[in-house]
Amino acid sequence: MNANRRTTSEAEPDGSDRHEGSARALARLALLCVAGAVASVVAGAGQWFILLLGLAGLALTGAGIWWALAHRGVARLLGALLALAAPVGVLILYAVSGLWPVAVTALALWAAALACARSALRRLRKPHGVRSRSVRPPRRPVLIMNPRSGGGKVSRHGLAERAEALGARVMMLDLDAGPDAVTLARRAVAEGADLLGVAGGDGTQALVAGVAAEHGVPFVVLAAGTRNHLAMDLGLDRDHPVSGLDALSDGVELRIDLGDVAGRPFVNTVSFGAYAEIVQSPDYRDAKAATALDHLPGLLVGETGTVLDVETDDARVHAPQTLLVSNNPYGRADPLGGGRRPRLDGGKLGVIAIRVEGAAQAAELALRGERASSITSLTSRRVVVNADDELIPVAVDGEALTLPPPVVCTVRPGALRVRVPRHRPGASYVAPSVDWRRVVRLALGHDPLPIRTNQEQSDA
């Protein structure tokens, strides 16, 4: 069979009877663990005091963090003390009152219930295959490498030498004097390159990916940046960027989406609001925490920063403090969850908007996480960000920019041909948010409802 015509599916297993049966068993076990947690609280304490005490401590911690971030001086100090004292105080009260065995038992059973519920829902996830196509090795691959990225990963891992040994042409990016990544990529294509690759951060990856998509040549990702979210979601080994070179000799090709913000490509995210404002500071790279603490009070209480007005396909969001637009939605909208995209070929943008207006909402966020009223999570094919200012601070794949409003974000379905190694670790599973209504329905033997992401649920 012709090598460049074979196709394979990288879909997850579908919901067979076996998967459904195990899902029902796990759902029932989850409900038993919940019942056990409730029983331990009632039997051990004789009242709901232990539960209320823990929830109050968590809420006070969230409120304290808000005061520490949104204020300066004495208010910041008091907020930090509250955030530390609340959980410590709860632990001390548990120990003094003799309730700690009950607390430990209840927390362990609750953790087990969440684990079982997520495992049950995982078995019912809808398949969403990403088609991979076997391909012949490129004849004239060109790899653009940023020697500064990731603290010098290109040199540390010997990427240039290893790539050249495989027959690739290496073009080093000189950020001070030489041409930029886009110019180098266009030059490589004009000189006959039949594959473009990048060893660098997500910002550089995006720029070269745009050129690759424009000319229809395959694109290779070498995880030589600090985070490399695209490499993570493609299932590449970020700890060993050299393994990405296997795509040149034994690779398969995927079709994924490419984001566009005001005519500029992005592979991961476009950020507006607090984060985008903070990264504009020249001090951010050398002192991230100190710079953020200095800017956050004004940004969170509305004294400084751009007031945004966001319009999606089906909704309007006014004045979010932080807005994240992603090339395909994240599996969870938890702002502290790290984030991972279950797929890169869904043809939609993910939108997460956060607005916390005071200590009460911060406490709710600590208690409810991604389901808090301060978080808006949805999907859209087009996002328009407007403001009264002449320029809006924007962070595109971590790179600080300013753009004139309206800033339009769109997605180009299947625009990018990505070449990845045939054998790679794979993207780790993104645990779904626990929907207890669905878990109860599953445990009772009713027809299971399909598992959807938070964004899909908001669209329904």
Side-chain angles (χ1 to χ4, degrees), residues 150 152-162 223-224 238-243 245:
K153 283 186 178 180
V154 168
S155 174
R156 192 160 62 249
H157 291 274
L159 289 176
E161 295 79 9
R162 292 172 182 264
R238 295 187 298 166
D239 295 326
H240 301 89
V242 172
S243 63
L245 291 171

Side-chain angles (χ1 to χ4, degrees), residues 210-248:
V211 177
E214 177 185 345
H215 293 276
V217 299
F219 178 69
V220 164
V221 175
L222 298 179
T226 302
R227 297 188 187 127
N228 282 118
H229 279 280
L230 178 60
M232 174 177 66
D233 292 334
L234 286 171
L236 302 179
D237 189 343
R238 295 187 298 166
D239 295 326
H240 301 89
V242 172
S243 63
L245 291 171
D246 291 342
L248 300 181

Side-chain angles (χ1 to χ4, degrees), residues 163-360:
E164 289 172 342
L166 291 172
R169 177 188 175 191
V170 174
M171 304 175 75
M172 286 293 179
L173 183 62
D174 187 344
L175 298 178
D176 295 325
D180 59 23
V182 173
T183 301
L184 289 178
R186 293 191 186 282
R187 180 189 301 172
V189 172
E191 294 173 353
D194 61 352
L195 177 144
L196 291 175
V198 176
D202 290 322
T204 308
Q205 299 276 1
L207 293 174
V208 179
V211 177
E214 177 185 345
H215 293 276
V217 299
F219 178 69
V220 164
V221 175
L222 298 179
T226 302
R227 297 188 187 127
N228 282 118
H229 279 280
L230 178 60
M232 174 177 66
D233 292 334
L234 286 171
L236 302 179
D237 189 343
R238 295 187 298 166
D239 295 326
H240 301 89
V242 172
S243 63
L245 291 171
D246 291 342
L248 300 181
S249 56
D250 185 22
V252 294
E253 191 171 290
L254 313 175
R255 279 278 187 176
I256 68 171
D257 305 336
L258 187 62
D260 183 280
V261 53
R264 178 189 175 106
F266 69 95
V267 292
N268 294 310
T269 58
V270 180
S271 297
F272 302 83
Y275 174 73
E277 299 264 4
I278 291 170
V279 298
Q280 305 294 322
S281 172
D283 300 325
Y284 177 75
R285 296 296 178 186
D286 296 325
K288 291 182 173 62
T291 304
L293 288 174
D294 183 55
H295 285 76
L296 277 174
L299 295 171
L300 294 180
V301 299
E303 296 175 353
T304 61
T306 303
V307 179
L308 305 173
D309 190 66
V310 184
E311 185 177 352
T312 69
D313 291 346
D314 304 310
R316 194 167 196 142
V317 182
H318 179 65
Q321 294 158 327
T322 295
L323 174 70
L324 184 73
V325 180
S326 58
N327 174 24
N328 283 266
Y330 284 98
R332 301 179 64 187
D334 186 351
L336 302 178
R340 174 160 288 182
R341 293 166 292 178
R343 60 185 303 179
L344 297 170
D345 62 341
K348 287 189 177 182
L349 299 169
V351 182
I352 300 175
I354 303 174
R355 180 167 183 81
V356 182
E357 297 185 359

